[in-house]
Amino acid sequence: MLNAILGPLFSILGWVIFVVIGLAIFKIFKPVLKGKLGEFAVSQHAKKYLTAEYIVLNNCTLPEAQLGTTQIDHILLSPYGIFVIETKNYKGWIFGSERQKMWTQTLFKKSYKFQNPLHQNYKHQKVLQQLLADLIAPEYLHSIVVFMPECEFKTVMPMNVFKGKDWINYVKAFKHEVIPAMKLKRIQQCIEKEMLEKSWKTDRLHVANLKQHKNNR
């Protein structure tokens, strides 16, 4: 009799514990998963709307002198230039300008500050410039910031900040070939040689480097 009563209770309790632990894990990894979904969307845009002459390198972690590592969401290689792409998977209203140090996200009547993604991507661009200094002139590296369609810009955005797949048209506007095919291949090999292995271990190392840099400031 007692077993008949306690058995279902323990079964329910087990499911409750499982759900609570699952929700806790999801909460911890939600920012990472959210970012990865945004990056996946941009890589799919490139695959669907760009031709084979465009080569996309996703989730590129490269050595960097001050931070130890820098993480670039996408590097788009093409005969028309190299595009350094920062992805932001934010919802709500977005306020920002080219020179502001911090931008603002407003969601459900709450406001959140985040680093100007153009400044963030500028650092990525400089790392890539140094890496490719012997192969390509700096003016052929272009910065792009891509937000997901769920957000709404409430200020006039700089010309290289986009929502959804609109960034594709910006890339296609570059029509003059500036990188020969053989050099483009060397650039790809140079980047891939320096890239750290794509893994959770690499991601954790990058996050640890960021935290240490922040604490040392």
Side-chain angles (χ1 to χ4, degrees):
M1 181 70 177
L2 187 60
N3 288 338
I5 296 173
L6 293 180
L9 287 177
F10 282 124
S11 179
I12 293 171
L13 181 61
W15 276 107
V16 169
I17 293 172
F18 177 79
V19 170
V20 169
I21 293 174
L23 289 173
I25 293 173
F26 176 76
K27 186 175 181 181
I28 292 171
F29 288 100
K30 184 179 178 180
V32 176
L33 295 173
K34 187 178 176 183
K36 295 299 181 185
L37 286 173
E39 293 171 22
F40 176 75
V42 169
S43 65
Q44 289 301 107
H45 294 159
K47 184 177 180 180
K48 183 175 181 179
Y49 299 108
L50 295 176
T51 59
E53 63 183 343
Y54 293 88
I55 302 165
V56 187
L57 304 178
N58 300 307
N59 190 25
C60 305
T61 305
L62 298 169
E64 198 272 336
Q66 291 184 331
L67 295 177
T69 54
T70 193
Q71 207 163 60
I72 305 174
D73 292 339
H74 314 276
I75 303 172
L76 179 65
L77 309 178
S78 82
Y80 317 103
I82 296 176
F83 301 88
V84 185
I85 305 175
E86 174 69 19
T87 304
K88 293 297 179 188
N89 190 6
Y90 290 171
K91 295 182 179 180
W93 293 350
I94 305 296
F95 302 82
S97 67
E98 184 175 2
R99 296 187 180 279
Q100 280 181 303
K101 185 176 180 180
M102 303 298 292
W103 285 14
T104 303
Q105 174 197 30
T106 300
L107 185 64
F108 304 124
K109 297 183 179 181
K110 292 185 178 181
S111 294
Y112 308 89
K113 297 289 184 181
F114 62 99
Q115 183 184 4
N116 182 337
L118 290 171
H119 294 178
Q120 182 181 2
N121 212 32
Y122 175 77
K123 296 173 185 176
H124 298 159
Q125 195 172 345
K126 294 302 289 184
V127 170
L128 210 53
Q129 282 180 13
Q130 292 174 5
L131 176 62
L132 304 175
D134 296 333
L135 293 171
I136 187 172
E139 59 263 31
Y140 298 137
L141 273 72
H142 310 286
S143 174
I144 296 177
V145 174
V146 182
F147 284 82
M148 293 298 99
E150 290 77 14
C151 73
E152 182 179 351
F153 295 148
K154 285 297 183 179
T155 50
V156 177
M157 287 290 149
M159 61 176 293
N160 56 338
V161 179
F162 305 93
K163 280 201 315 178
K165 66 179 187 297
D166 291 347
W167 68 274
I168 293 289
N169 292 330
Y170 176 79
V171 167
K172 287 183 175 181
F174 291 81
K175 300 180 182 296
H176 180 60
E177 290 195 18
V178 294
I179 310 175
M182 288 298 294
K183 181 172 283 190
L184 195 64
K185 190 65 179 177
R186 288 173 60 197
I187 288 171
Q188 180 181 355
Q189 290 172 345
C190 180
I191 295 171
E192 290 178 338
K193 181 181 177 181
E194 291 298 319
M195 280 173 52
L196 276 65
E197 179 187 3
K198 294 181 183 180
S199 65
W200 284 105
K201 182 179 180 180
T202 297
D203 290 343
R204 289 197 300 270
L205 172 65
H206 178 64
V207 171
N209 287 339
L210 290 176
K211 288 181 178 178
Q212 183 176 357
H213 178 74
K214 186 178 180 180
N215 291 336
N216 292 339
R217 291 171 65 180

